[in-house]
Amino acid sequence: MALPENPNIFANNPLDRASYRRTDKAWIEEQLASPTSLFVPMWKLQPFVLPEAGPGEGKDIGWMRTALLPDLAGEGCVVFLGINRRGKALFAADVSGLKDPENHPALKGLGAFEDLRAIAMAGEITPAELAIMAQAKSMIDWHNRHGFCSVCGARSEMAEAGYKRQCPSCKAEHFPRTDPVVIMLAIHDGKCFLGRQKIWPKGMHSALAGFVEPGESIEEAVARELGEEASIKVSSVTYHSTQPWPYPSSLMIGCHAIADSEDFEIDGIELSGGRWFTREETQAILAGKGDGTAWFPPPFAIAHQLVKAFAEGKV
């Protein structure tokens, strides 16, 4: 039975991650040498992107043959991403060692390295490839940040096709981490609460969010964050959806929470303001027909999906 499609950008990765293959060094080497295998070059965490083939056709990720890996990646890390629906093995390679990558003979005139968040917001790349790029970005970023053993300080080595680092000195093993973040919409009597930060554009309101702390459940984190930032007390929490967020490696856990009342008090630290919105107000703002005093994050953000679900009467 197939899972329902997640409404969030960076979700719905179509690859078979084939995790059972990661410890098979011979198989990984075979795939790297295969003429059908492909890799995406990542320069300073930006994927290589091909321009639009024609008006309105969108951009494509610049997948390259793995034969070019030695020339482009050099000593940069190469991570196995998975197998696509055509049976091809896909990899990501850090080419940040190149000083002028777009003028490299293998890449010149083909495309450009672009910011993943910018192309996602512009809707220029298919959702499936955005999800794969989120995986690639998070993995390479993890290797860039964890080159040394946190136990003894020695330089660690990549293992298991990029999904483990091992210390040759103390033998400690290190694995990629994902940081859970709750993002939630408080609801009470047909209204929802959204806050804003001082640094945000004028009028922007969004769902409250915060990292889940050690030894804390998702429900407890939702209640704590709402209480700390807006003094809102809640009696129940329901799950909506999650969004992989490769900045650098978070998982946004979207929730709705039933508030005990509409009482609130802004903390003045995390938030600079906030207000309750009626269902009719959220519907108007999402439709671009608000009064101009407030607006919400675009569909790119999970906060938009939380507000949308409320506006549509699904919670």
Side-chain angles (χ1 to χ4, degrees):
M1 179 179 175
L3 293 173
E5 184 169 322
N6 189 308
N8 301 306
I9 296 297
F10 298 135
N12 306 303
N13 191 322
L15 297 185
D16 173 1
R17 298 194 180 214
S19 58
Y20 60 94
R21 291 288 197 179
R22 295 171 187 166
T23 56
D24 189 341
K25 292 183 178 180
W27 185 86
I28 293 294
E29 291 297 328
E30 181 182 341
Q31 301 311 305
L32 286 169
S34 172
T36 64
S37 296
L38 302 171
F39 77 99
V40 57
M42 302 282 291
W43 185 75
K44 296 186 177 180
L45 303 179
Q46 299 178 72
F48 188 61
V49 178
L50 305 180
E52 293 182 351
E57 292 188 18
K59 297 181 179 181
D60 289 317
I61 295 299
W63 294 102
M64 314 295 291
R65 299 294 181 186
T66 49
L68 292 170
L69 272 170
D71 194 23
L72 289 174
E75 297 299 318
C77 71
V78 177
V79 176
F80 172 60
L81 299 176
I83 302 170
N84 68 12
R85 291 168 181 170
R86 296 181 179 179
K88 295 182 179 182
L90 302 184
F91 296 82
D94 186 7
V95 301
S96 299
L98 299 176
K99 292 184 179 180
D100 189 10
E102 292 173 6
N103 284 316
H104 187 282
L107 303 176
K108 189 174 182 178
L110 295 180
F113 290 91
E114 299 191 27
D115 178 73
L116 179 60
R117 185 169 183 168
I119 58 178
M121 290 185 69
E124 297 175 325
I125 300 293
T126 65
E129 290 213 304
L130 286 175
I132 297 171
M133 291 306 99
Q135 177 190 1
K137 181 181 182 299
S138 289
M139 289 301 301
I140 290 179
D141 197 6
W142 178 72
H143 283 286
N144 290 345
R145 293 168 180 266
H146 295 80
F148 295 87
C149 177
S150 60
V151 178
C152 73
R155 179 172 287 279
S156 59
E157 300 173 345
M158 193 175 79
E160 295 188 7
Y163 290 81
K164 182 171 81 172
R165 295 192 70 88
Q166 190 158 5
C167 178
S169 178
C170 71
K171 309 304 179 185
E173 296 179 329
H174 308 278
F175 299 90
R177 59 179 294 171
T178 297
D179 300 318
V181 178
V182 289
I183 179 166
M184 53 277 168
L185 199 66
I187 297 170
H188 183 266
D189 196 23
K191 296 181 181 180
C192 70
F193 185 87
L194 293 105
R196 60 172 281 101
Q197 295 182 6
K198 186 180 297 185
I199 62 172
W200 289 352
K202 183 178 180 180
M204 177 180 168
H205 287 70
S206 187
L208 278 58
F211 286 98
V212 178
E213 296 187 350
E216 186 175 48
S217 70
I218 292 172
E219 295 84 354
E220 289 167 342
V222 167
R224 175 180 55 77
E225 287 290 341
L226 285 169
E228 289 177 352
E229 296 183 9
S231 296
I232 294 175
K233 296 181 179 180
V234 300
S235 56
S236 67
V237 176
T238 57
Y239 163 82
H240 178 267
S241 62
T242 54
Q243 180 180 38
W245 192 247
Y247 300 96
S249 54
S250 296
L251 179 66
M252 306 297 291
I253 305 168
C255 298
H256 293 101
I258 302 301
D260 293 346
S261 72
E262 292 178 21
D263 295 336
F264 72 93
E265 183 178 346
I266 299 301
D267 68 347
I269 302 173
E270 292 289 338
L271 298 180
S272 61
R275 55 176 275 201
W276 289 94
F277 292 82
T278 66
R279 203 178 305 273
E280 292 71 26
E281 286 175 319
T282 61
Q283 292 169 349
I285 293 172
L286 290 175
K289 300 177 181 179
D291 61 10
T293 62
W295 57 281
F296 306 144
F300 166 83
I302 188 173
H304 177 97
Q305 305 300 334
L306 294 175
V307 176
K308 181 182 177 184
F310 169 78
E312 294 176 346
K314 296 180 179 178
V315 290

Short mmCIF file of all heavy atoms in Angstrom, two decimals, residues 156-215:
data_model
loop_
_atom_site.label_atom_id
_atom_site.label_comp_id
_atom_site.label_asym_id
_atom_site.label_seq_id
_atom_site.Cartn_x
_atom_site.Cartn_y
_atom_site.Cartn_z
N SER A 156 38.33 11.79 11.35
CA SER A 156 37.56 10.57 11.08
C SER A 156 37.54 10.27 9.59
O SER A 156 37.90 11.12 8.76
CB SER A 156 36.13 10.71 11.61
OG SER A 156 35.49 11.82 11.02
N GLU A 157 37.10 9.08 9.24
CA GLU A 157 37.08 8.63 7.86
C GLU A 157 35.66 8.24 7.44
O GLU A 157 34.90 7.68 8.24
CB GLU A 157 38.01 7.43 7.68
CG GLU A 157 39.47 7.74 8.03
CD GLU A 157 40.35 6.50 8.01
OE1 GLU A 157 39.78 5.37 8.02
OE2 GLU A 157 41.58 6.65 8.01
N MET A 158 35.32 8.53 6.20
CA MET A 158 33.99 8.19 5.69
C MET A 158 33.88 6.69 5.49
O MET A 158 34.83 6.03 5.06
CB MET A 158 33.73 8.92 4.38
CG MET A 158 32.28 8.88 3.94
SD MET A 158 31.96 9.86 2.45
CE MET A 158 32.57 8.74 1.20
N ALA A 159 32.70 6.13 5.79
CA ALA A 159 32.46 4.70 5.61
C ALA A 159 31.01 4.49 5.19
O ALA A 159 30.20 5.42 5.20
CB ALA A 159 32.74 3.94 6.91
N GLU A 160 30.69 3.28 4.79
CA GLU A 160 29.33 2.88 4.43
C GLU A 160 28.69 3.83 3.41
O GLU A 160 27.57 4.32 3.59
CB GLU A 160 28.45 2.73 5.67
CG GLU A 160 28.92 1.60 6.57
CD GLU A 160 27.97 1.30 7.71
OE1 GLU A 160 26.87 1.88 7.74
OE2 GLU A 160 28.34 0.46 8.56
N ALA A 161 29.44 4.09 2.34
CA ALA A 161 28.96 4.89 1.20
C ALA A 161 28.55 6.30 1.62
O ALA A 161 27.74 6.94 0.95
CB ALA A 161 27.82 4.18 0.48
N GLY A 162 29.09 6.77 2.75
CA GLY A 162 28.81 8.13 3.20
C GLY A 162 27.89 8.23 4.39
O GLY A 162 27.67 9.34 4.90
N TYR A 163 27.39 7.10 4.89
CA TYR A 163 26.40 7.16 5.96
C TYR A 163 26.99 6.82 7.33
O TYR A 163 26.26 6.57 8.29
CB TYR A 163 25.22 6.24 5.64
CG TYR A 163 24.41 6.81 4.49
CD1 TYR A 163 24.82 6.63 3.17
CD2 TYR A 163 23.29 7.60 4.73
CE1 TYR A 163 24.12 7.20 2.13
CE2 TYR A 163 22.58 8.16 3.69
CZ TYR A 163 23.00 7.97 2.39
OH TYR A 163 22.31 8.55 1.35
N LYS A 164 28.31 6.87 7.40
CA LYS A 164 28.98 6.69 8.68
C LYS A 164 30.38 7.30 8.58
O LYS A 164 30.98 7.33 7.51
CB LYS A 164 29.10 5.20 9.04
CG LYS A 164 29.75 4.94 10.40
CD LYS A 164 29.66 3.47 10.80
CE LYS A 164 30.71 2.62 10.15
NZ LYS A 164 30.72 1.22 10.70
N ARG A 165 30.86 7.81 9.69
CA ARG A 165 32.25 8.21 9.80
C ARG A 165 32.85 7.41 10.95
O ARG A 165 32.19 7.21 11.98
CB ARG A 165 32.41 9.71 10.05
CG ARG A 165 31.94 10.57 8.88
CD ARG A 165 32.38 12.02 9.02
NE ARG A 165 33.81 12.16 8.85
CZ ARG A 165 34.42 12.35 7.66
NH1 ARG A 165 33.70 12.41 6.55
NH2 ARG A 165 35.74 12.49 7.60
N GLN A 166 34.06 6.95 10.75
CA GLN A 166 34.69 6.11 11.76
C GLN A 166 36.05 6.68 12.13
O GLN A 166 36.80 7.16 11.27
CB GLN A 166 34.87 4.67 11.25
CG GLN A 166 35.29 3.70 12.32
CD GLN A 166 34.94 2.26 11.97
OE1 GLN A 166 34.46 1.99 10.87
NE2 GLN A 166 35.18 1.34 12.87
N CYS A 167 36.34 6.67 13.42
CA CYS A 167 37.61 7.20 13.89
C CYS A 167 38.67 6.10 13.85
O CYS A 167 38.51 5.05 14.49
CB CYS A 167 37.47 7.72 15.32
SG CYS A 167 39.03 8.34 16.01
N PRO A 168 39.76 6.29 13.11
CA PRO A 168 40.81 5.26 13.05
C PRO A 168 41.61 5.17 14.33
O PRO A 168 42.31 4.18 14.56
CB PRO A 168 41.68 5.73 11.88
CG PRO A 168 41.51 7.21 11.85
CD PRO A 168 40.09 7.45 12.26
N SER A 169 41.49 6.21 15.18
CA SER A 169 42.26 6.23 16.41
C SER A 169 41.56 5.51 17.56
O SER A 169 42.07 4.53 18.10
CB SER A 169 42.56 7.67 16.81
OG SER A 169 43.29 7.73 18.02
N CYS A 170 40.34 5.94 17.90
CA CYS A 170 39.64 5.34 19.05
C CYS A 170 38.52 4.40 18.62
O CYS A 170 37.83 3.83 19.46
CB CYS A 170 39.09 6.41 19.98
SG CYS A 170 37.70 7.34 19.29
N LYS A 171 38.32 4.28 17.29
CA LYS A 171 37.32 3.35 16.71
C LYS A 171 35.87 3.78 16.94
O LYS A 171 34.94 3.00 16.70
CB LYS A 171 37.51 1.91 17.24
CG LYS A 171 38.93 1.38 17.13
CD LYS A 171 39.45 1.44 15.71
CE LYS A 171 40.89 0.94 15.63
NZ LYS A 171 41.46 1.09 14.26
N ALA A 172 35.66 5.00 17.41
CA ALA A 172 34.28 5.47 17.60
C ALA A 172 33.59 5.61 16.24
O ALA A 172 34.22 5.94 15.23
CB ALA A 172 34.28 6.82 18.32
N GLU A 173 32.29 5.33 16.23
CA GLU A 173 31.49 5.45 15.02
C GLU A 173 30.55 6.65 15.14
O GLU A 173 29.96 6.88 16.19
CB GLU A 173 30.68 4.17 14.79
CG GLU A 173 31.55 2.94 14.55
CD GLU A 173 30.72 1.69 14.34
OE1 GLU A 173 29.61 1.62 14.94
OE2 GLU A 173 31.16 0.79 13.61
N HIS A 174 30.40 7.38 14.04
CA HIS A 174 29.55 8.56 14.02
C HIS A 174 28.59 8.46 12.85
O HIS A 174 28.99 8.09 11.74
CB HIS A 174 30.40 9.83 13.92
CG HIS A 174 31.48 9.92 14.94
ND1 HIS A 174 31.25 10.35 16.23
CD2 HIS A 174 32.80 9.60 14.89
CE1 HIS A 174 32.39 10.32 16.92
NE2 HIS A 174 33.35 9.86 16.13
N PHE A 175 27.32 8.82 13.09
CA PHE A 175 26.28 8.67 12.08
C PHE A 175 25.58 10.01 11.82
O PHE A 175 25.52 10.87 12.71
CB PHE A 175 25.26 7.62 12.52
CG PHE A 175 25.85 6.26 12.71
CD1 PHE A 175 26.35 5.87 13.94
CD2 PHE A 175 25.93 5.36 11.64
CE1 PHE A 175 26.91 4.61 14.12
CE2 PHE A 175 26.48 4.11 11.81
CZ PHE A 175 26.98 3.73 13.05
N PRO A 176 25.06 10.19 10.61
CA PRO A 176 24.35 11.45 10.31
C PRO A 176 23.21 11.68 11.29
O PRO A 176 22.52 10.75 11.69
CB PRO A 176 23.82 11.22 8.89
CG PRO A 176 24.70 10.18 8.32
CD PRO A 176 25.08 9.28 9.46
N ARG A 177 23.02 12.93 11.66
CA ARG A 177 21.98 13.27 12.62
C ARG A 177 20.87 14.06 11.93
O ARG A 177 21.10 14.75 10.93
CB ARG A 177 22.54 14.10 13.77
CG ARG A 177 23.18 15.40 13.34
CD ARG A 177 23.70 16.20 14.53
NE ARG A 177 22.61 16.66 15.37
CZ ARG A 177 22.79 17.23 16.57
NH1 ARG A 177 24.00 17.37 17.06
NH2 ARG A 177 21.75 17.65 17.27
N THR A 178 19.69 13.91 12.47
CA THR A 178 18.55 14.72 12.05
C THR A 178 17.97 15.37 13.29
O THR A 178 17.68 14.68 14.28
CB THR A 178 17.48 13.85 11.36
OG1 THR A 178 18.04 13.27 10.17
CG2 THR A 178 16.27 14.69 10.98
N ASP A 179 17.83 16.67 13.27
CA ASP A 179 17.33 17.40 14.44
C ASP A 179 15.82 17.61 14.33
O ASP A 179 15.35 18.28 13.40
CB ASP A 179 18.02 18.76 14.54
CG ASP A 179 19.53 18.63 14.68
OD1 ASP A 179 19.96 17.74 15.44
OD2 ASP A 179 20.26 19.40 14.04
N PRO A 180 15.03 17.05 15.26
CA PRO A 180 13.58 17.24 15.22
C PRO A 180 13.17 18.63 15.70
O PRO A 180 13.65 19.11 16.72
CB PRO A 180 13.05 16.15 16.16
CG PRO A 180 14.17 15.93 17.13
CD PRO A 180 15.44 16.16 16.37
N VAL A 181 12.30 19.26 14.92
CA VAL A 181 11.78 20.59 15.25
C VAL A 181 10.26 20.54 15.18
O VAL A 181 9.69 20.11 14.18
CB VAL A 181 12.29 21.66 14.25
CG1 VAL A 181 11.71 23.02 14.58
CG2 VAL A 181 13.80 21.70 14.24
N VAL A 182 9.59 20.96 16.23
CA VAL A 182 8.13 21.05 16.18
C VAL A 182 7.74 22.42 15.64
O VAL A 182 8.35 23.43 15.96
CB VAL A 182 7.48 20.82 17.58
CG1 VAL A 182 7.61 19.37 17.99
CG2 VAL A 182 8.08 21.74 18.63
N ILE A 183 6.73 22.43 14.79
CA ILE A 183 6.15 23.68 14.30
C ILE A 183 4.65 23.52 14.41
O ILE A 183 4.08 22.52 13.95
CB ILE A 183 6.61 23.99 12.86
CG1 ILE A 183 5.97 25.29 12.37
CG2 ILE A 183 6.36 22.83 11.91
CD1 ILE A 183 6.61 25.84 11.11
N MET A 184 3.98 24.45 15.06
CA MET A 184 2.60 24.19 15.45
C MET A 184 1.70 25.41 15.33
O MET A 184 2.14 26.55 15.45
CB MET A 184 2.54 23.65 16.89
CG MET A 184 3.23 24.50 17.91
SD MET A 184 5.02 24.16 17.94
CE MET A 184 5.61 25.51 18.94
N LEU A 185 0.45 25.09 15.13
CA LEU A 185 -0.60 26.10 15.04
C LEU A 185 -1.56 25.87 16.19
O LEU A 185 -2.19 24.81 16.28
CB LEU A 185 -1.32 25.95 13.70
CG LEU A 185 -2.15 27.15 13.20
CD1 LEU A 185 -1.23 28.32 12.88
CD2 LEU A 185 -2.93 26.75 11.95
N ALA A 186 -1.65 26.84 17.11
CA ALA A 186 -2.60 26.74 18.21
C ALA A 186 -3.99 27.12 17.70
O ALA A 186 -4.14 28.06 16.91
CB ALA A 186 -2.19 27.66 19.35
N ILE A 187 -5.01 26.39 18.13
CA ILE A 187 -6.38 26.60 17.66
C ILE A 187 -7.31 26.72 18.87
O ILE A 187 -7.17 25.97 19.85
CB ILE A 187 -6.83 25.42 16.77
CG1 ILE A 187 -5.96 25.36 15.52
CG2 ILE A 187 -8.30 25.56 16.37
CD1 ILE A 187 -6.18 24.10 14.70
N HIS A 188 -8.26 27.65 18.77
CA HIS A 188 -9.27 27.77 19.82
C HIS A 188 -10.54 28.40 19.25
O HIS A 188 -10.50 29.50 18.69
CB HIS A 188 -8.77 28.62 20.99
CG HIS A 188 -9.76 28.70 22.12
ND1 HIS A 188 -10.68 29.74 22.23
CD2 HIS A 188 -10.01 27.87 23.16
CE1 HIS A 188 -11.42 29.54 23.30
NE2 HIS A 188 -11.04 28.42 23.89
N ASP A 189 -11.63 27.69 19.36
CA ASP A 189 -12.95 28.22 19.02
C ASP A 189 -12.99 28.89 17.63
O ASP A 189 -13.44 30.03 17.48
CB ASP A 189 -13.40 29.21 20.09
CG ASP A 189 -14.90 29.52 20.02
OD1 ASP A 189 -15.64 28.68 19.46
OD2 ASP A 189 -15.31 30.57 20.51
N GLY A 190 -12.51 28.17 16.63
CA GLY A 190 -12.58 28.68 15.27
C GLY A 190 -11.54 29.71 14.90
O GLY A 190 -11.64 30.39 13.87
N LYS A 191 -10.50 29.85 15.73
CA LYS A 191 -9.41 30.78 15.44
C LYS A 191 -8.07 30.06 15.56
O LYS A 191 -7.96 29.05 16.26
CB LYS A 191 -9.44 31.97 16.40
CG LYS A 191 -10.67 32.85 16.28
CD LYS A 191 -10.58 34.02 17.27
CE LYS A 191 -11.82 34.90 17.18
NZ LYS A 191 -11.74 36.03 18.16
N CYS A 192 -7.06 30.58 14.88
CA CYS A 192 -5.71 30.02 15.01
C CYS A 192 -4.73 31.15 15.36
O CYS A 192 -4.95 32.31 15.01
CB CYS A 192 -5.27 29.30 13.74
SG CYS A 192 -4.96 30.37 12.32
N PHE A 193 -3.66 30.78 16.05
CA PHE A 193 -2.69 31.77 16.50
C PHE A 193 -1.42 31.69 15.68
O PHE A 193 -0.84 30.62 15.51
CB PHE A 193 -2.35 31.57 17.98
CG PHE A 193 -1.43 32.62 18.53
CD1 PHE A 193 -1.94 33.81 19.03
CD2 PHE A 193 -0.06 32.44 18.53
CE1 PHE A 193 -1.10 34.80 19.54
CE2 PHE A 193 0.79 33.42 19.03
CZ PHE A 193 0.27 34.60 19.53
N LEU A 194 -0.98 32.85 15.16
CA LEU A 194 0.30 32.94 14.46
C LEU A 194 1.10 34.09 15.05
O LEU A 194 0.54 35.11 15.45
CB LEU A 194 0.10 33.16 12.96
CG LEU A 194 -0.54 31.97 12.23
CD1 LEU A 194 -1.99 32.28 11.92
CD2 LEU A 194 0.22 31.64 10.97
N GLY A 195 2.41 33.91 15.09
CA GLY A 195 3.28 34.94 15.65
C GLY A 195 4.20 35.52 14.59
O GLY A 195 4.19 35.10 13.44
N ARG A 196 4.98 36.51 15.00
CA ARG A 196 5.95 37.09 14.08
C ARG A 196 7.21 37.50 14.85
O ARG A 196 7.17 37.77 16.05
CB ARG A 196 5.39 38.28 13.32
CG ARG A 196 4.92 39.46 14.13
CD ARG A 196 4.57 40.64 13.21
NE ARG A 196 5.75 41.36 12.77
CZ ARG A 196 6.35 41.24 11.59
NH1 ARG A 196 5.88 40.40 10.68
NH2 ARG A 196 7.43 41.95 11.29
N GLN A 197 8.32 37.50 14.11
CA GLN A 197 9.59 37.94 14.67
C GLN A 197 9.96 39.30 14.08
O GLN A 197 9.56 39.63 12.96
CB GLN A 197 10.69 36.92 14.36
CG GLN A 197 10.47 35.57 15.01
CD GLN A 197 11.60 34.59 14.72
OE1 GLN A 197 12.61 34.94 14.12
NE2 GLN A 197 11.43 33.35 15.16
N LYS A 198 10.72 40.07 14.84
CA LYS A 198 11.07 41.42 14.44
C LYS A 198 11.80 41.47 13.10
O LYS A 198 11.63 42.41 12.31
CB LYS A 198 11.92 42.07 15.53
CG LYS A 198 12.24 43.53 15.30
CD LYS A 198 13.09 44.10 16.43
CE LYS A 198 12.34 44.06 17.75
NZ LYS A 198 13.13 44.72 18.85
N ILE A 199 12.61 40.45 12.82
CA ILE A 199 13.43 40.47 11.59
C ILE A 199 12.64 40.07 10.35
O ILE A 199 13.14 40.19 9.23
CB ILE A 199 14.65 39.54 11.73
CG1 ILE A 199 14.20 38.08 11.93
CG2 ILE A 199 15.55 39.99 12.86
CD1 ILE A 199 15.35 37.08 11.88
N TRP A 200 11.40 39.59 10.52
CA TRP A 200 10.62 39.16 9.36
C TRP A 200 10.10 40.36 8.58
O TRP A 200 9.95 41.46 9.11
CB TRP A 200 9.44 38.31 9.82
CG TRP A 200 9.83 36.95 10.33
CD1 TRP A 200 11.07 36.38 10.29
CD2 TRP A 200 8.98 36.01 10.98
NE1 TRP A 200 11.05 35.14 10.87
CE2 TRP A 200 9.78 34.88 11.29
CE3 TRP A 200 7.64 36.00 11.31
CZ2 TRP A 200 9.26 33.75 11.92
CZ3 TRP A 200 7.11 34.89 11.95
CH2 TRP A 200 7.91 33.77 12.25
N PRO A 201 9.77 40.14 7.29
CA PRO A 201 9.17 41.21 6.50
C PRO A 201 7.87 41.71 7.15
O PRO A 201 7.17 40.96 7.84
CB PRO A 201 8.89 40.53 5.15
CG PRO A 201 9.86 39.39 5.08
CD PRO A 201 9.99 38.92 6.50
N LYS A 202 7.55 42.96 6.90
CA LYS A 202 6.37 43.58 7.51
C LYS A 202 5.10 42.78 7.22
O LYS A 202 4.83 42.42 6.07
CB LYS A 202 6.21 45.01 6.97
CG LYS A 202 5.05 45.76 7.59
CD LYS A 202 4.96 47.18 7.06
CE LYS A 202 3.79 47.93 7.68
NZ LYS A 202 3.69 49.32 7.16
N GLY A 203 4.35 42.49 8.27
CA GLY A 203 3.08 41.80 8.13
C GLY A 203 3.14 40.29 8.11
O GLY A 203 2.11 39.62 8.22
N MET A 204 4.34 39.71 7.99
CA MET A 204 4.44 38.26 7.92
C MET A 204 4.15 37.63 9.28
O MET A 204 4.72 38.02 10.29
CB MET A 204 5.82 37.82 7.45
CG MET A 204 5.99 36.31 7.42
SD MET A 204 7.63 35.81 6.85
CE MET A 204 7.61 34.08 7.29
N HIS A 205 3.24 36.66 9.30
CA HIS A 205 2.93 35.88 10.49
C HIS A 205 3.09 34.40 10.16
O HIS A 205 2.77 33.97 9.05
CB HIS A 205 1.49 36.14 10.96
CG HIS A 205 1.30 37.47 11.60
ND1 HIS A 205 1.34 38.66 10.89
CD2 HIS A 205 1.04 37.81 12.91
CE1 HIS A 205 1.13 39.67 11.71
NE2 HIS A 205 0.93 39.20 12.94
N SER A 206 3.58 33.64 11.12
CA SER A 206 3.80 32.22 10.85
C SER A 206 3.54 31.39 12.10
O SER A 206 3.33 31.93 13.19
CB SER A 206 5.23 31.98 10.36
OG SER A 206 5.42 30.64 9.94
N ALA A 207 3.56 30.08 11.92
CA ALA A 207 3.39 29.17 13.03
C ALA A 207 4.61 29.23 13.94
O ALA A 207 5.73 29.51 13.49
CB ALA A 207 3.19 27.74 12.51
N LEU A 208 4.42 28.97 15.21
CA LEU A 208 5.52 28.95 16.16
C LEU A 208 6.31 27.65 16.01
O LEU A 208 5.74 26.62 15.60
CB LEU A 208 5.00 29.09 17.59
CG LEU A 208 4.68 30.52 18.08
CD1 LEU A 208 3.65 31.20 17.19
CD2 LEU A 208 4.21 30.50 19.53
N ALA A 209 7.60 27.67 16.34
CA ALA A 209 8.43 26.49 16.14
C ALA A 209 9.58 26.47 17.13
O ALA A 209 9.96 27.51 17.69
CB ALA A 209 8.97 26.46 14.71
N GLY A 210 10.13 25.29 17.34
CA GLY A 210 11.29 25.16 18.22
C GLY A 210 11.81 23.74 18.23
O GLY A 210 11.10 22.79 17.87
N PHE A 211 13.07 23.56 18.61
CA PHE A 211 13.70 22.25 18.63
C PHE A 211 13.13 21.39 19.76
O PHE A 211 12.85 21.88 20.86
CB PHE A 211 15.20 22.37 18.81
CG PHE A 211 15.93 22.85 17.58
CD1 PHE A 211 16.28 24.18 17.44
CD2 PHE A 211 16.24 21.97 16.56
CE1 PHE A 211 16.93 24.63 16.32
CE2 PHE A 211 16.90 22.41 15.41
CZ PHE A 211 17.24 23.74 15.29
N VAL A 212 12.99 20.10 19.48
CA VAL A 212 12.62 19.14 20.52
C VAL A 212 13.86 18.91 21.38
O VAL A 212 14.97 18.68 20.86
CB VAL A 212 12.16 17.81 19.90
CG1 VAL A 212 11.83 16.79 21.00
CG2 VAL A 212 10.96 18.03 18.99
N GLU A 213 13.72 18.98 22.68
CA GLU A 213 14.85 18.82 23.58
C GLU A 213 15.05 17.36 23.98
O GLU A 213 14.13 16.55 23.86
CB GLU A 213 14.64 19.69 24.82
CG GLU A 213 14.60 21.18 24.50
CD GLU A 213 14.57 22.05 25.74
OE1 GLU A 213 14.39 21.51 26.85
OE2 GLU A 213 14.75 23.28 25.60
N PRO A 214 16.25 16.98 24.45
CA PRO A 214 16.50 15.61 24.88
C PRO A 214 15.50 15.16 25.94
O PRO A 214 15.17 15.92 26.86
CB PRO A 214 17.93 15.67 25.44
CG PRO A 214 18.57 16.80 24.70
CD PRO A 214 17.47 17.82 24.53
N GLY A 215 15.01 13.95 25.79
CA GLY A 215 14.07 13.40 26.77
C GLY A 215 12.69 14.01 26.70
O GLY A 215 11.94 13.94 27.68
#
